[in-house]
Amino acid sequence: MTMKVKPHRWGRVTKAIHAGEETLPRTGPLIPPIYQNSTFRFASSDECVDAFSDESSDHVYTRWGNPTQSVLEAKIAALEESEAALATASGMAAISTALLTRLGHGDHVVAMDSLYSATHNLLYEDLPRVGIETTFVDGTDTNQIEQALRANTKALYIESPANPTLKLVDIRACVKIARLHGITTIIDNTFASPCGQQPIKLGIDVVVHSMTKYMSGNGTVIAGAIAASAPFIESARIRVLRNFGGVISPFNAWLTLHGLATLPLRFVRHCENAFRVARFLESHPAIEWVRYPGLHSHPQHKLAKRQMQSFGGMIAFELKGGVEAGKRLVNGTQLCALAVSLGDVRTLICHPASTTHLHIPAEARKQSGISDGLVRLSVGLEDAEDIIADLDQGLP
Ligand code: LCS
């Protein structure tokens, strides 16, 4: 079921368009069709028995895998340069599947404290209910990571750049610590996408993605992915995903395939636009500070240059004037849409303190790096001048 993807000599743009499609017949549909079906038919009982073996690449039932999903998985693996990949129903399905593949009752995780909120909740509230404990540390301080390790630590979980703080973690340093202690490294690469950062090449064991974001790119699907070694993916697929059930639908796999084909080209534009917007914001008197890994002013800019290939489309900035200033800006923009999610062709703006994090006490919010005037911008593919003009008219 899990196919080892042969390394491609193609460049990234070619891979995004063609990888995974080698198995399609040379005569017939040019683009991979949607196998919009739940089950597959066999000609004989012998054929059926063969298909049930774990080594078989035949499809039996869509919760176990589907041909449209297989093409998508080969494309993801080609882009992440991993041995194999698994597509899932959502980013959270990818994260929970990756964690449950490695961890069981009595195991311990070290995770950074700046994480996407649902990932934090999963580690903080849900996994302890099944006997998996997490210690949260400041991921920018590798000493804290080492000090948090226990005899039962099985995984180091990081997110870089982190949502929404844009904090980075030194990936190579984490890999070094983890290898010394025989711990599996898992990174959420959603903000960078495989075009901005290739963690497997830096020594990371398991990469997870919310493909809802840059990978699909058009705001049409909820989807996730895991990229890792073939044995890890096999185990994730058979031991976890098959029974927990967070599988991607054939239609969402197909939509994501179309999104992935243009990811490298979209990502170049996201990066160019974000750099221009970040420079504009940095020069604006109503703004206290701007965090964009590509700016010299990012406290970890040197690290960004060492481990990232490009810096993506996500910007965080702090408005002077706190909550009220944040509300005024998101109410005032017209082109930049007030919406959660990110990585869309459209520019999305979000002020956590007055929306997604409204009910979290100010002190707790601050602790996770979400200050009152923090605004997160997912810079889209529009003309940069238009995005800047929209922000300019919304700012005091
Ligand atoms: N990882 C990161 C870094 C994310 O930003 C998200 C979703 C997820 C995982 C979960 O992915 P999903 O299951 O939604 O596909 N981030 C969101 C956000 O910042 N606003 O809305 C969703």
Side-chain angles (χ1 to χ4, degrees):
M1 204 57 113
T2 298
M3 281 182 291
K4 251 195 196 180
V5 173
K6 288 199 198 97
H8 283 280
R9 263 179 280 140
W10 286 332
R12 179 178 284 154
V13 179
T14 313
K15 277 191 223 171
I17 297 168
H18 293 282
E21 300 182 10
E22 301 87 340
T23 50
L24 296 177
R26 283 183 69 81
T27 307
L30 177 65
I31 58 163
I34 317 176
Y35 284 78
Q36 188 62 50
N37 55 302
S38 52
T39 196
F40 298 81
R41 185 177 179 172
F42 297 96
S44 69
S45 57
D46 285 349
E47 217 183 58
C48 188
V49 168
D50 286 348
F52 268 76
S53 85
D54 287 343
E55 290 76 41
S56 169
S57 60
D58 289 346
H59 292 95
V60 177
Y61 184 59
T62 286
R63 179 158 50 75
W64 303 7
N66 173 289
T68 314
Q69 179 187 343
S70 301
V71 176
L72 174 62
E73 288 171 348
K75 222 183 260 298
I76 297 162
L79 288 168
E80 279 293 0
E81 300 197 33
S82 60
E83 243 178 34
L86 178 63
T88 59
S90 66
M92 289 317 299
I95 292 165
S96 54
T97 299
L99 288 166
L100 291 173
T101 301
R102 184 64 185 102
L103 303 157
H105 192 272
D107 290 338
H108 174 248
V109 187
V110 174
M112 60 188 280
D113 54 10
S114 193
L115 293 173
Y116 170 56
S117 54
T119 309
H120 184 275
N121 293 346
L122 175 71
L123 290 163
Y124 186 73
E125 284 174 13
D126 302 319
L127 291 185
R129 291 193 285 112
V130 291
I132 299 167
E133 299 291 337
T134 297
T135 303
F136 293 95
V137 297
D138 177 352
T140 62
D141 179 357
T142 42
N143 287 331
Q144 285 197 24
I145 296 177
E146 283 209 276
Q147 280 159 16
L149 297 176
R150 298 185 196 159
N152 61 341
T153 307
K154 294 279 168 57
L156 173 59
Y157 187 94
I158 57 178
E159 191 178 297
S160 185
N163 184 2
T165 56
L166 273 299
K167 271 190 195 171
L168 307 184
V169 182
D170 186 336
I171 297 174
R172 286 189 184 90
C174 287
V175 166
K176 204 167 156 195
I177 296 170
R179 285 193 177 160
L180 212 61
H181 295 88
I183 294 164
T184 300
T185 43
I186 307 176
I187 188 170
D188 186 328
N189 202 28
T190 299
F191 266 39
S193 94
C195 296
Q197 180 168 276
Q198 288 187 294
I200 301 268
K201 277 189 172 169
L202 302 174
I204 287 284
D205 299 308
V206 181
V207 178
V208 290
H209 277 285
S210 167
M211 297 204 294
T212 311
K213 316 291 162 32
Y214 288 107
M215 306 275 269
S216 62
N218 290 284
T220 50
V221 296
I222 297 286
I226 308 174
S229 68
F232 187 93
I233 293 297
E234 183 74 352
S235 188
R237 189 192 304 280
I238 292 172
R239 282 192 20 241
V240 185
L241 197 69
R242 200 180 265 190
N243 296 342
F244 280 78
V247 293
I248 192 166
S249 74
F251 186 51
N252 281 356
W254 186 78
L255 285 172
T256 307
L257 269 177
H258 285 291
L260 266 187
T262 57
L263 172 66
L265 297 177
R266 281 188 285 110
F267 206 71
V268 169
R269 173 75 168 199
H270 279 298
C271 294
E272 284 170 5
N273 275 1
F275 186 62
R276 289 183 59 187
V277 172
R279 287 240 302 251
F280 158 75
L281 293 170
E282 211 174 24
S283 69
H284 200 285
I287 290 169
E288 195 82 49
W289 48 255
V290 180
R291 290 282 177 273
Y292 179 65
L295 288 180
H296 286 283
S297 59
H298 191 293
Q300 297 165 295
H301 177 59
K302 282 194 182 133
L303 174 62
K305 284 203 293 189
R306 281 206 304 278
Q307 67 188 22
M308 298 182 79
Q309 291 157 6
S310 55
F311 307 117
M314 297 303 297
I315 302 174
F317 57 95
E318 178 72 16
L319 285 168
K320 292 177 184 164
V323 176
E324 287 311 311
K327 276 196 204 169
R328 261 198 310 276
L329 177 60
V330 297
N331 288 333
T333 55
Q334 281 149 27
L335 188 68
C336 304
L338 170 55
V340 298
S341 201
L342 57 108
D344 197 282
V345 296
R346 294 159 186 79
T347 296
L348 309 179
I349 192 165
C350 161
H351 175 232
S354 68
T355 55
T356 50
H357 291 65
L358 179 66
H359 301 295
I360 299 176
E363 211 36 54
R365 256 198 281 120
K366 235 179 227 136
Q367 253 179 13
S368 53
I370 298 166
S371 39
D372 289 349
L374 183 86
V375 174
R376 191 188 73 177
L377 197 66
S378 170
V379 179
L381 305 183
E382 302 94 338
D383 293 295
E385 307 81 64
D386 294 330
I387 304 168
I388 290 170
D390 189 42
L391 290 165
D392 201 23
Q393 62 80 36
L395 283 164

